[in-house]
Amino acid sequence: MYNKAILKYLLAINMFNAPFCFIIGLGFGVLWSLIFFSSFGIFIGYVGFQTFKKNEYYTYYNLGFTKIKLLKKVWLVNMSISFLLFIIYIILQ
């Protein structure tokens, strides 16, 4: 149950984060896109979640998650994804 909740939150945050980082990638390049995906983009996702899905936090609170715990988990996963994509990008060049 807990892993499904984390996955749902991760997808919801990245639903706002990924398009923002894609636009950054178009303008500044792939490396900047990866940097933003694992750092500032999480803030963009958080603001989007706060704006459109704020009521879902009650579900996470009932499962024992705070906003900080959820954001730390999202940050860790996004850093891992960015690192793997960076390695692939370096290998392909």
Side-chain angles (χ1 to χ4, degrees):
M1 181 69 173
Y2 293 111
N3 289 333
K4 285 183 180 181
I6 298 286
L7 180 62
K8 183 177 179 194
Y9 186 74
L10 176 77
L11 293 174
I13 290 289
N14 285 330
M15 179 177 69
F16 300 104
N17 183 2
F20 172 74
C21 294
F22 180 74
I23 292 169
I24 294 293
L26 290 176
F28 297 103
V30 174
L31 294 178
W32 280 106
S33 179
L34 292 174
I35 291 169
F36 271 81
F37 182 74
S38 61
S39 60
F40 186 69
I42 295 172
F43 175 72
I44 298 296
Y46 172 75
V47 170
F49 193 88
Q50 278 288 111
T51 304
F52 298 107
K53 298 183 174 195
K54 188 175 185 176
N55 290 334
E56 289 184 23
Y57 275 121
Y58 293 116
T59 303
Y60 298 111
Y61 291 148
N62 288 335
L63 293 172
F65 294 114
T66 63
K67 289 179 187 178
I68 298 296
K69 280 184 184 179
L70 289 168
L71 287 173
K72 283 180 183 178
K73 290 182 185 295
V74 168
W75 178 79
L76 183 63
V77 171
N78 283 4
M79 282 295 272
S80 302
I81 291 169
S82 293
F83 182 72
L84 290 173
L85 290 175
F86 175 73
I87 296 297
I88 291 169
Y89 177 77
I90 294 298
I91 290 171
L92 293 177
Q93 274 195 343

